[in-house]
Structures are given as C-alpha cells and as structure tokens.
Amino acid sequence: MFTGIITDIGTIRAHEQRGDLRLVIGCGYDMEGVAIGASIACSGACLTVVEKGADWFAVDLSAETVARTAPGLWAEGGRLNLERALKLGDELGGHIVTGHVDGIGTVVGVCPEGDSHKVGFAVEAALAPLIAPKGSITVDGVSLTVNEVRDVEDGAHFSVNLIPHTWDVTTLGRLTQGAQVNLEIDVLARYLDRMQGVRSRTM
C-alpha cells in the first residue's frame, strides 16, 4: 500500500530481458533499511526488490506488467518516481494507492497557470466513468486531484494542476504533449464499479 507521495527519483541502470524483464534501478534510498522482498512503487507500479546494493535495487517485471504500463517506461536510462511501501503509523499525505495500474493516459496539453502547470490527459472509454472532478487519481505514482473531466467520443479528458514542488521533485515536470503515463484510479471507484457491474447482471 502506498500514498502517492514520491520520495525519490530512480534511474534505470540496466535492462535485461530474461524469462521476465530484470531492471536495476539506481536510487538515493539507504538500502540497508530495505529488505529483499520489500515493495517499491516505480512510477505507479508496485514491484518487488529481488536484489540490492548500496545505491540500487533490482526488480523483475512480468510480461503482464510490461503490457499494462506505459510504453517505453522501462527503457535503460529512464527516470522513475519511487515510493516505498506505507508503514503502520506513517502519515497518509496523499490518498490510498495500491500500485496497480488501471490504464494508460496520454498528455493532450501542458500549460503554465500561475506558478503551477495545468496538464490535460486523454483516457479510454473504460476508465472515463471512474474519474470524477475533485476525486483522486495517481499519475505515474503521484497522488493528484482531478480538476475537471470532459467526456469525448472515445473516452474522456481530465486535467490536474501540478504545483511547483510536484513539478520539481517528480518526473511529471518533464511531461510533454503525446507522452503516455500510468494511471491508477481511486480504489473506492474501482470497487464501486465492480459492485455495480455485478448488481446489474443479477437484477
């Protein structure tokens, strides 16, 4: 379980296709305090530490994980938003995040708005009903508040505001039009959607 508050930016040092995809990720964490088997959210995807060194850790990505996450995200040299798993008693500064990617969003625009930046995303029809104004959403692992949502023919467009701190300390400050990102909807919306789907089939 995570909160969507990014605590480091990692860099992919090695990318090796074995049976699964093995990544070596450089980071600023004190890895002595990170156990083998620990969970770290990497740009919104919950991954398991399988090896580690003083300033790096390794993870294995299944074909399913690669297929469901943003294309090109796992390339060598890529930068990832990192968050260690929530511990009992930690401050819940963002919202409850599971580290399971629900879909891919595409940036449709980035524009300055005061000291912040407004970023618009397009999502497919399956995710459109699950995104609500003033609700929470996770973009590449970052907990954000949805400003507005507009339905379009093939899905929806939604926007968020990135304050200067978020712009500076996450990878979102590098977003440009056409970039693709990992999205995780609010876990409550996910369960409500499932309950409504089951209920409609049994009525």
Side-chain angles (χ1 to χ4, degrees):
M1 199 69 70
F2 306 92
T3 68
I5 303 299
I6 302 307
T7 52
D8 193 19
I9 294 181
T11 301
I12 300 175
R13 294 182 180 174
H15 168 122
E16 181 183 358
Q17 189 66 60
R18 304 180 177 183
D20 289 327
L21 175 62
R22 169 66 61 92
L23 300 179
V24 174
I25 301 169
C27 65
Y29 291 140
D30 176 6
M31 292 304 297
E32 286 189 8
V34 179
I36 299 295
S39 295
I40 296 179
C42 299
S43 286
C46 177
L47 301 175
T48 300
V49 175
V50 296
E51 290 185 55
K52 66 174 185 173
D55 63 348
W56 61 271
F57 63 95
V59 295
D60 289 329
L61 282 72
S62 68
E64 172 76 2
T65 299
V66 174
R68 287 187 172 272
T69 51
L73 178 64
W74 311 115
E76 189 168 338
R79 300 168 79 244
L80 303 171
N81 294 319
L82 303 181
E83 182 188 356
R84 293 185 60 187
L86 186 65
K87 296 178 182 177
L88 194 63
D90 284 352
E91 180 180 356
L92 186 61
H95 72 283
I96 295 174
V97 175
T98 64
H100 299 153
V101 176
D102 293 302
I104 306 301
T106 302
V107 177
V108 294
V110 180
C111 61
E113 193 167 90
D115 292 329
S116 301
H117 287 80
K118 183 177 182 179
V119 185
F121 299 91
V123 296
E124 61 185 10
L127 285 186
L130 307 175
I131 300 172
K134 305 310 175 187
S136 296
I137 195 163
T138 308
V139 178
D140 272 353
V142 183
S143 172
L144 297 169
T145 300
V146 176
N147 284 345
E148 56 189 0
V149 183
R150 179 169 57 88
D151 292 324
V152 295
E153 185 175 349
D154 56 350
H157 289 177
F158 74 92
S159 67
V160 299
N161 266 66
L162 304 179
I163 62 172
H165 176 78
T166 304
W167 186 261
D168 292 339
V169 304
T170 72
T171 63
L172 302 188
R174 294 189 173 189
L175 290 179
T176 57
Q177 187 172 355
Q180 294 185 296
V181 296
N182 293 333
L183 298 178
E184 180 183 331
I185 60 170
D186 188 349
V187 66
L188 296 178
R190 185 186 298 151
Y191 283 115
L192 284 171
D193 181 61
R194 171 65 178 163
M195 287 189 293
Q196 288 178 341
V198 171
R199 188 173 298 161
S200 66
R201 291 194 295 272
T202 56
M203 292 180 66

